[in-house]
Amino acid sequence: MPEDLAFEAVDLSRTASSSELIYDALRDAIVSGRLAEGQVLRQDSIARMFNVSRIPVREALGRLEAHGLAASARYKGMVVASMSPDEISEIFEFRAVLEPVVVERAVPRMSAADLSRAQRACDAFAAGTDAARWGELNRDFHWSLYSHSGMPYHLSVVRNAMDRVERYVRSQLKLTSGMERARTDHQAIMDACARRDAAAAAELTRQHILNAGTTLVAFIDLQKTTTGSAGVGPGRSNYVGASR
Amino acid sequence: MPEDLAFEAVDLSRTASSSELIYDALRDAIVSGRLAEGQVLRQDSIARMFNVSRIPVREALGRLEAHGLAASARYKGMVVASMSPDEISEIFEFRAVLEPVVVERAVPRMSAADLSRAQRACDAFAAGTDAARWGELNRDFHWSLYSHSGMPYHLSVVRNAMDRVERYVRSQLKLTSGMERARTDHQAIMDACARRDAAAAAELTRQHILNAGTTLVAFIDLQKTTTGSAGVGPGRSNYVGASR
DNA sequence: AGGCCCGCCGTTGGATCCAATATCCAATAT
DNA sequence: ATATTGGATATTGGATCCAACGGCGGGCCT
């Protein structure tokens, strides 16, 4: 059999089923904040949107719940997960532990091309004018550093932690000094990577994340005390663990 | 309405649906090693075992896949996930980063009663004679230290990491010196907690996990080179990420 | 008039049925 | 004889249908 045909072949057994496509779409909508927290997710309406029956929708919702992006009660339906300030704070602590480890491993493995790609991501973030894309660009930059770590499991866990707080990071960046601070932090991390100082890159990453977390939580608490609970700030005590 | 009735009330809206029960049962079977890695999971046969249709089984399998305990290919069915030595090694590295953080936080929060409970778990592990329960007792001990950390998200992540390697830890404990070493490690960690030396407890935990990991991976590699790939050692390169 | 109960309706959880795909095996051509 | 092909069977993915449950509002009793 000719192993090299004239056309590009794809492994069809790994193509996505509809439930996976639905999961991806819902995940993206939640992570990006287009679906507000607490929003109820009706199987029927989602099914109609995708022109499928409720079965693949249910499987997608199940996976969302497994990843902690939605919460359900039997026979009552599913809602987009909310996070209390305490929970958000914990996620940032968590990221501040893990991500430095990942960068530190990645730095010596980055090629010159990788570094320039990361610098481009850094520049793209710094130059970003559309506030709606800041979260995405922020994530792209961090990921451009982490992806060379050769630690797939660490990456999958970091990705999930990022997913849970991405919505809130967006609002943190919108703070007056949030974007400014992020720009300088990012460039400092980038520079440490460029001069192959893995330990410095790790420490800077840790500080960067911790700072973003405390700033964000302070902002949320402030918002809560000033506007009551009417703002976009998250509700309290709806934590749903990732497993079970 | 009387708030205190003569019987214990439970929140029925949080009781498990059949798909959750099936998920728990399958997870337990995989984690404990009763289901060998690579074992195919037929929806039909599982459905018959639980006397249900294939629908809840499929949802349970979907969750298993989301947690990385099973892997699937479209129309081909699902198999119990296998881990390569590299993947196992990475999980131990991961645990060696996270678990020290969790113990360190837990130590100052443990009451005298918590400490004595932990010591009992430690003793139970040390006294365990049934090799089949070593894994479970090992886990109980670690968990008795971690559960007071007040870090639910960290705990859920640690739990998932433990789930993935539990089967292999079992075989590591069965090594001639594995159990011996674990006993002394555990007591050292326990002592550090008892004298409220959080930093020492953290460092001892880190060493303990790293040592267990390297011992285990060395054992697997040895097994692979001596017996070909016929042993219980895991196959290579079947990694399926936790997310997506 | 006010509180309680009961039945209707929307939604979810599960069962059954159908379509799409993989696997296995026999038939066939080279 | 071997490789290829076509079909039979097993298994998964999805659609449709039914039952169980929560929520809500109207009627009823006090």
Side-chain angles (χ1 to χ4, degrees):
Chain A
M1 190 214 302
E3 286 295 322
D4 260 326
L5 295 177
F7 51 87
E8 203 59 38
V10 294
D11 184 350
L12 284 180
S13 73
R14 296 208 196 293
T15 55
S17 63
S18 35
S19 83
E20 288 173 72
L21 293 173
I22 296 169
Y23 170 76
D24 284 343
L26 289 177
R27 167 184 170 278
D28 194 59
I30 293 174
V31 167
S32 73
R34 290 196 306 279
L35 277 171
E37 60 187 3
Q39 172 86 269
V40 296
L41 302 168
R42 293 278 164 239
Q43 300 176 358
D44 232 352
S45 53
I46 297 171
R48 270 197 302 274
M49 284 190 231
F50 288 90
N51 259 321
V52 294
S53 80
R54 280 168 41 224
I55 296 286
V57 174
R58 277 162 60 174
E59 294 186 2
L61 290 177
R63 293 164 75 97
L64 277 183
E65 190 180 21
H67 285 299
L69 295 176
S72 77
R74 217 149 100 99
Y75 292 109
K76 285 204 220 162
M78 212 164 266
V79 298
V80 177
S82 317
M83 297 186 71
S84 73
D86 285 349
E87 288 156 11
I88 295 175
S89 178
E90 193 195 344
I91 300 266
F92 276 92
E93 277 184 76
F94 179 85
R95 293 182 52 190
V97 171
L98 264 195
E99 295 183 35
V101 172
V102 175
V103 215
E104 188 157 11
R105 182 70 57 95
V107 167
R109 293 164 150 263
M110 291 176 78
S111 69
D114 296 334
L115 280 172
S116 65
R117 259 195 299 275
Q119 182 63 59
R120 272 199 298 281
C122 187
D123 293 341
F125 173 78
T129 54
D130 181 8
R133 288 199 61 208
W134 284 353
E136 183 190 339
L137 292 169
N138 177 55
R139 202 175 163 124
D140 286 348
F141 168 66
H142 281 274
W143 209 252
S144 74
L145 297 182
Y146 303 160
S147 56
H148 307 90
S149 62
M151 304 172 100
Y153 181 69
H154 288 67
L155 287 183
S156 72
V157 174
V158 167
R159 168 201 280 269
N160 182 253
M162 283 177 152
D163 277 356
R164 295 194 187 216
V165 292
E166 170 107 0
R167 301 169 266 175
Y168 309 109
V169 170
R170 199 178 314 285
S171 62
Q172 191 268 339
L173 287 176
K174 284 188 192 141
L175 298 184
T176 47
S177 65
M179 200 52 193
E180 188 60 35
R181 171 71 188 260
R183 265 191 272 264
T184 58
D185 281 6
H186 283 187
Q187 190 57 56
I189 296 170
M190 190 65 239
D191 290 344
C193 293
R195 66 173 189 272
R196 305 294 186 177
D197 189 343
E203 178 58 19
L204 288 168
T205 298
R206 199 177 75 85
Q207 297 291 347
H208 171 59
I209 295 172
L210 284 179
N211 173 66
T214 53
T215 309
L216 170 58
V217 171
F219 169 63
I220 290 172
D221 281 339
L222 181 71
Q223 204 177 41
K224 182 178 300 294
T225 56
T226 56
T227 71
S229 61
V232 295
R236 279 217 176 257
S237 73
N238 269 357
Y239 182 78
V240 195
S243 46
R244 317 177 48 113
Chain B
M1 190 212 304
E3 285 296 323
D4 259 325
L5 296 177
F7 51 86
E8 205 58 38
V10 294
D11 183 351
L12 283 181
S13 73
R14 296 209 195 291
T15 54
S17 62
S18 37
S19 82
E20 288 174 72
L21 293 174
I22 295 169
Y23 169 77
D24 284 344
L26 289 177
R27 167 185 170 278
D28 195 58
I30 293 175
V31 167
S32 73
R34 292 197 304 280
L35 278 171
E37 60 187 2
Q39 171 86 282
V40 296
L41 302 168
R42 294 276 164 242
Q43 299 177 358
D44 226 356
S45 54
I46 297 172
R48 270 198 301 275
M49 284 191 234
F50 288 90
N51 260 322
V52 294
S53 80
R54 281 166 40 224
I55 297 287
V57 174
R58 277 162 59 174
E59 294 186 2
L61 291 176
R63 293 164 75 99
L64 277 182
E65 190 180 22
H67 285 300
L69 295 176
S72 78
R74 217 150 97 101
Y75 292 110
K76 285 205 216 158
M78 215 164 262
V79 298
V80 177
S82 314
M83 297 185 71
S84 72
D86 285 350
E87 288 156 9
I88 295 175
S89 178
E90 193 195 342
I91 300 267
F92 276 92
E93 277 184 76
F94 180 87
R95 293 182 52 191
V97 172
L98 265 194
E99 295 183 35
V101 173
V102 175
V103 216
E104 189 158 10
R105 181 70 56 96
V107 166
R109 293 165 150 262
M110 292 176 76
S111 69
D114 296 333
L115 280 172
S116 65
R117 259 196 299 276
Q119 180 63 59
R120 273 199 298 280
C122 186
D123 294 342
F125 173 78
T129 54
D130 181 8
R133 289 199 60 209
W134 282 352
E136 182 190 340
L137 292 169
N138 176 57
R139 204 175 162 126
D140 287 347
F141 168 65
H142 282 273
W143 209 252
S144 73
L145 298 182
Y146 303 160
S147 56
H148 306 90
S149 61
M151 304 172 100
Y153 181 69
H154 288 68
L155 287 182
S156 73
V157 174
V158 166
R159 169 201 278 268
N160 183 253
M162 283 177 151
D163 277 356
R164 295 194 186 216
V165 293
E166 170 109 359
R167 304 168 262 176
Y168 309 108
V169 170
R170 200 180 312 287
S171 61
Q172 191 266 341
L173 286 174
K174 283 188 192 143
L175 298 184
T176 47
S177 64
M179 199 53 193
E180 188 61 32
R181 172 71 188 259
R183 265 191 272 263
T184 58
D185 281 7
H186 283 186
Q187 190 56 56
I189 296 170
M190 189 65 238
D191 291 344
C193 293
R195 65 172 189 273
R196 305 295 186 178
D197 188 344
E203 177 57 19
L204 288 168
T205 298
R206 200 177 73 87
Q207 297 292 346
H208 171 58
I209 294 172
L210 284 179
N211 173 68
T214 53
T215 309
L216 170 57
V217 172
F219 169 62
I220 290 172
D221 282 337
L222 180 72
Q223 204 176 41
K224 181 178 302 293
T225 55
T226 56
T227 71
S229 61
V232 296
R236 279 218 175 254
S237 72
N238 270 357
Y239 182 78
V240 194
S243 47
R244 319 183 37 118

